[in-house]
Amino acid sequence: RPDSPYRNFFRFGQDESYESWWGMETLPKLNYEGDPRLKEEILQIGRKWVSPPYSADGWRLDVAADLGHSPEENHKFWREFRRAVKEANPEAVILAEHYGDISPWMDGSQWDTVMNYDAFMEPVSWFLTGMEKHSNKYREELLGNGEAFWAAMIPNMARFPSGSLYAAMNQLDNHDHSRFVTRTSRRTGRLGADGTASAEEGIDLGVCREAAVMQMTWPGAPTLYYGNETALPGWTDPDSRRPFPWGKENWEMIEFYRELIQIHRKSPALIRGSLVRLLGEHELLAYGRFLGEERMVVVIHNGPSEGRAEIPVELLGGSPAKGLIRLIETGETGYNIGAVRLPVREGKAAVPLRPVSAAIYRVE
């Protein structure tokens, strides 16, 4: 209505239709530049939910870079939003959804961190499945390509301040993308063309276990999308929003996730330690995490055959290593948590590689 007190909260065209986000009529775009009352109302909402009695832990901001009608207004608003939220609750986290270069928003005056697509979800998906995160394309040249994995990870991680990197939301999938387990079939598809059942065909739980190991050992905050722990399949949105399969859970996968989470929680090196590249070869990744005297080694073998890899443990620094103690190893058909000791000689350890496997070792 022309006389509505909220009219300036939106922009209207000559036909009196309001401007919408990306042309979607059900999502009107707010006009922060047009009415200061709108901005203050949103800032008050930001303060309210992180304050008692609600005391939410923070805000997850949807497509945050699309706010406003100009980059200047966008950055100005998020600076004001941060001041309002942090004054209400200094411990509240401000986590944004964003694709691409995060640098303009990560100067300490706007967002704390982001949903980590570029320095986790996408490189992991390409290396382990060869699949794009929507299952729109398959790229064989990226499947198992260790060099391409590191070439994507290193520059994208470098854009993060260290605190933001360790707090980044590391997901394998979410409501916007195809389920990771469906990507393990290496089949492109969509719900409308291929149907629900096709998302469950040809999946590889061995690859899912590799991905879970990477998620629990890579710098950042491992974040499960409901159903990950029971290998719930699905094409991209809306099929990725299937209900949890109550009564049909994969309990072996659930127990596997419990074991992994305990390893992560008990290891300061995996939570906030430094990362060092150890290997990046065809179908093979190895990396280390270290903090103080604790050193961890992770080995990912995405190939179909058995072999051995020589891991340069010496690159982790510290006192000379005596051996590696295996904490967990995954494979094509399951996982093993039995402790196995491997010797370290002259700074290197010969590690067995089983088909489609991952292993976590503690350096002694």
Side-chain angles (χ1 to χ4, degrees):
R1 289 171 40 189
D3 60 346
S4 169
Y6 306 108
R7 182 176 177 85
N8 288 338
F9 284 18
F10 310 93
R11 281 186 177 181
F12 294 86
Q14 291 183 345
D15 61 354
E16 284 298 290
S17 63
Y18 52 73
E19 180 184 3
S20 55
W21 179 75
W22 285 64
M24 298 182 184
E25 293 183 358
T26 58
L27 298 174
K29 189 172 176 66
L30 293 174
N31 182 25
Y32 289 96
E33 296 93 325
D35 195 323
R37 295 176 303 151
L38 168 63
K39 181 181 291 185
E40 182 49 43
E41 196 161 315
I42 298 299
L43 294 181
Q44 185 54 37
I45 292 171
R47 298 182 189 102
K48 172 181 176 178
W49 293 105
V50 299
S51 301
Y54 312 104
S55 300
D57 290 328
W59 285 97
R60 181 266 188 189
L61 311 174
D62 201 52
V63 286
D66 287 1
L67 179 141
H69 292 90
S70 68
E72 294 76 20
E73 180 61 27
N74 187 318
H75 292 296
K76 178 182 177 183
F77 176 85
W78 290 127
R79 290 187 183 101
E80 294 181 25
F81 183 85
R82 181 184 183 86
R83 282 195 293 271
V85 168
K86 298 293 184 176
E87 286 172 2
N89 181 354
E91 298 300 314
V93 67
I94 299 173
L95 185 152
E97 178 191 28
H98 185 65
Y99 300 84
D101 187 4
I102 62 172
S103 303
W105 290 272
M106 302 298 287
D107 62 356
S109 70
Q110 298 167 81
W111 309 336
D112 287 320
T113 192
V114 294
M115 300 175 71
N116 197 2
Y117 294 117
D118 296 321
F120 186 75
M121 184 190 287
E122 290 197 284
V124 170
S125 186
W126 288 122
F127 178 80
L128 292 179
T129 71
M131 295 293 295
E132 182 268 340
K133 60 184 178 293
H134 288 286
S135 291
N136 285 341
K137 64 176 71 171
Y138 168 70
R139 294 182 61 182
E140 187 171 4
E141 77 277 11
L142 293 181
L143 175 64
N145 189 330
E147 285 295 337
F149 172 86
W150 287 109
M153 279 293 195
I154 297 303
N156 283 312
M157 292 174 72
R159 294 191 173 103
F160 284 84
S162 60
S164 299
L165 179 65
Y166 291 126
M169 182 184 281
N170 285 357
Q171 295 184 295
L172 296 169
D173 52 32
N174 58 37
H175 61 287
D176 283 329
H177 308 102
S178 61
R179 291 279 185 167
F180 184 86
V181 65
T182 291
R183 284 180 241 148
T184 66
S185 70
R186 305 177 191 173
R187 170 182 175 176
T188 58
R190 286 270 180 163
L191 176 64
D194 296 273
T196 300
S198 62
E200 306 171 19
E201 297 171 356
I203 61 178
D204 189 333
L205 295 186
V207 176
C208 285
R209 285 185 282 269
E210 288 182 295
V213 168
M214 295 186 73
Q215 186 179 33
M216 293 297 164
T217 59
W218 197 260
T223 309
L224 272 64
Y225 182 42
Y226 79 94
N228 286 156
E229 70 276 32
T230 191
L232 183 65
W235 294 117
T236 202
D237 187 19
D239 198 32
S240 56
R241 304 179 189 235
R242 296 184 188 191
F244 189 86
W246 296 112
K248 299 179 180 179
E249 299 95 328
N250 183 326
W251 283 103
E252 183 182 35
M253 286 294 290
I254 291 173
E255 290 300 322
F256 166 66
Y257 264 94
R258 285 176 174 164
E259 295 289 348
L260 271 183
I261 290 169
Q262 286 302 309
I263 291 172
H264 176 84
R265 292 182 66 183
K266 293 177 180 178
S267 171
L270 294 180
I271 294 172
R272 57 183 185 276
S274 298
L275 172 78
V276 61
R277 169 181 172 169
L278 299 176
L279 291 176
E281 302 174 3
H282 179 59
E283 298 176 338
L284 178 62
L285 293 174
Y287 51 91
R289 301 290 305 279
F290 62 94
L291 181 67
E293 293 301 313
E294 185 185 33
R295 294 170 289 177
M296 308 288 278
V297 170
V298 182
V299 181
I300 311 293
H301 178 231
N302 202 35
S305 58
E306 293 191 0
R308 298 186 77 81
E310 191 172 77
I311 307 297
V313 181
E314 60 195 353
L315 295 181
L316 284 163
S319 57
K322 300 174 183 177
L324 299 182
I325 304 297
R326 190 189 73 183
L327 303 181
I328 193 169
E329 182 179 45
T330 75
E332 294 177 292
T333 59
Y335 68 98
N336 192 312
I337 56 173
V340 174
R341 185 183 187 277
L342 301 176
V344 174
R345 296 187 176 94
E346 297 181 352
K348 296 178 174 58
V351 172
L353 301 176
R354 294 177 175 81
V356 191
S357 64
I360 304 174
Y361 299 90
R362 185 180 69 247
V363 180
E364 62 169 1

